[in-house]
Amino acid sequence: MPADVSADRAPVPGVSRLPEAVHAILADAEERRLAAREVVRQRQWIGFALVLVVWLACVPFVIAGDGVRIAALIVGLVAAIAALSWSQAPAVEYKKAYKERVLPALAGSFGTFQYEAEGSIPASTVERFGILPSHDRASGEDYFSGSYKGVGLEFSEATLKEERGSGKNKRWVTVFRGVLVRLQMNKRFVGETILRRDSGSVGNFFSGLFQRTERIRLEDPHFEELFEVFGSDQVEARYLLTPAFMQRLVDLCNTLGSDKIAGVFFAETLFLAIPHGKGKTKDLFEPPAFSKPADDPGEALRLMAEIEAILGVVDALQLDQRTGV
């Protein structure tokens, strides 16, 4: 059994917010981390010894000549990469297990949720609305689905990349990193209403939409300057995008530190694309580093705050009120 080091740690503000069940899960995760760390250390020594043997065996071939030298160097490099991957496998498995056990428990403190580490909301769901940048590759992780304050919702992280350049200059450029949120509304919409923060020019962001939508002029000039809105039903769009709702949307952008939020109302759904704020380089919902204790309540509270920030969309936009948007 690992030594109890909790007494050496300073009290963490807000730790009482953690559900009791989470503390037990964190304690178990720490036992698993310590066991995995020991296996990693053993494998590192074994891997180092095996790679050293391979390299020593390759030395005569490196000396022999250019053709054989290249092959020997490749063998040595492959051996090193394989050994590194093998030695770190327990750490990778620990990270996956941590997310699959801790994140559902944390989300469960807010409502009824299911979690899939490798799941995601397909970006193709809203491709026809043009609220996401043009991209050639989409990936996602950390998919949550459930109900919060009576509002059904799903959210997951997403990364969109576009291939640019040609020949030797061909490269993949990240055009979106953030969270996709799909909320089930309490009414069915007749048309489609699409909005995003105004970037100064429409460009090709709404390319292809003009055949079925038109520019919506908002009641308040202040929000007219901040957002671009297109819709297929002027009356419904103005009913949805009241000054009060738009102010809540502005407040949400400020809270999340994201100035490029985009969304669309369609059918019975509000879909939001929320890019990570400026300066944010790490993904959300990531466990503490392998070198850190798994039962650190501060790390669990960080994850809890990240989940709460996304669920805060329901609170900020007051979507749990049954008397409209």
Side-chain angles (χ1 to χ4, degrees):
M1 292 289 293
D4 183 5
V5 296
S6 59
D8 298 329
R9 297 178 190 160
V12 179
V15 69
S16 60
R17 293 186 58 211
L18 290 176
E20 191 62 32
V22 172
H23 290 284
I25 293 174
L26 292 177
D28 180 68
E30 174 61 3
E31 290 189 15
R32 291 171 179 266
R33 184 188 74 88
L34 293 174
R37 187 179 66 176
E38 186 61 29
V39 174
V40 167
R41 288 175 176 173
Q42 293 174 359
R43 289 190 177 190
Q44 284 175 336
W45 282 108
I46 295 172
F48 174 76
L50 291 176
V51 170
L52 183 60
V53 169
V54 171
W55 283 359
L56 290 175
C58 289
V59 169
F61 298 97
V62 172
I63 299 174
D66 291 340
V68 181
R69 178 185 300 142
I70 294 176
L73 290 173
I74 292 175
V75 169
L77 180 61
V78 170
I81 294 175
L84 179 62
S85 177
W86 176 67
S87 67
Q88 294 302 311
V92 175
E93 288 299 317
Y94 155 77
K95 175 182 175 181
K96 181 180 179 182
Y98 181 101
K99 295 175 76 169
E100 290 179 342
R101 297 201 65 199
V102 176
L103 290 179
L106 292 175
S109 65
F110 297 102
T112 303
F113 284 92
Q114 293 183 333
Y115 170 77
E116 296 178 32
E118 299 178 1
S120 65
I121 298 176
S124 58
T125 303
V126 291
E127 276 186 356
R128 65 190 181 96
F129 299 112
I131 68 169
L132 293 171
S134 173
H135 59 278
D136 301 301
R137 179 186 293 172
S139 61
E141 62 176 352
D142 298 323
Y143 170 77
F144 296 80
S145 64
S147 176
Y148 173 64
K149 293 187 176 180
V151 178
L153 77 158
E154 305 167 82
F155 60 94
S156 66
E157 284 220 289
T159 300
L160 307 180
K161 296 185 177 184
E162 183 178 45
E163 189 177 38
R164 296 178 183 175
S166 58
K168 294 182 179 179
N169 295 321
K170 186 178 293 186
R171 65 198 186 282
W172 288 97
V173 177
T174 299
V175 294
F176 178 91
R177 282 184 66 252
V179 180
L180 302 182
V181 184
R182 180 161 49 195
L183 301 117
Q184 191 72 22
M185 305 300 288
N186 56 44
K187 64 168 291 182
R188 184 171 184 83
F189 306 117
V190 176
E192 302 165 355
T193 302
I194 305 157
L195 70 154
R196 68 154 184 158
R197 288 297 292 264
D198 194 344
S199 61
S201 63
V202 175
N204 64 357
F205 196 83
F206 288 110
S207 177
L209 294 177
F210 297 102
Q211 295 179 0
R212 66 177 187 274
T213 63
E214 56 184 323
R215 182 70 182 261
I216 306 295
R217 298 298 174 182
L218 300 176
E219 297 178 16
D220 192 313
H222 173 64
F223 300 120
E224 177 71 21
E225 294 178 0
L226 294 177
F227 291 91
E228 295 172 337
V229 181
F230 284 77
S232 58
D233 188 306
Q234 289 270 353
V235 174
E236 182 176 66
R238 289 195 176 91
Y239 167 76
L240 293 171
L241 306 179
T242 62
F245 179 85
M246 298 305 291
Q247 182 59 57
R248 295 197 295 269
L249 195 59
V250 170
D251 294 341
L252 175 63
C253 292
N254 294 335
T255 299
L256 297 177
S258 179
D259 60 354
K260 298 295 182 183
I261 191 169
V264 55
F265 294 89
F266 69 101
E268 297 174 338
T269 302
L270 169 58
F271 192 104
L272 295 173
I274 308 173
H276 288 327
K278 292 180 179 179
K280 182 170 181 57
T281 57
K282 294 183 178 180
D283 291 336
L284 298 176
F285 318 125
E286 290 302 306
F290 186 58
S291 59
K292 293 184 177 181
D295 57 353
D296 180 359
E299 290 291 338
L301 286 170
R302 171 184 61 80
L303 292 168
M304 193 171 182
E306 291 175 351
I307 295 172
E308 189 173 24
I310 302 304
L311 297 180
V313 171
V314 174
D315 297 319
L317 301 183
Q318 297 180 14
L319 301 179
D320 55 324
Q321 297 184 4
R322 310 297 295 180
T323 56
V325 179

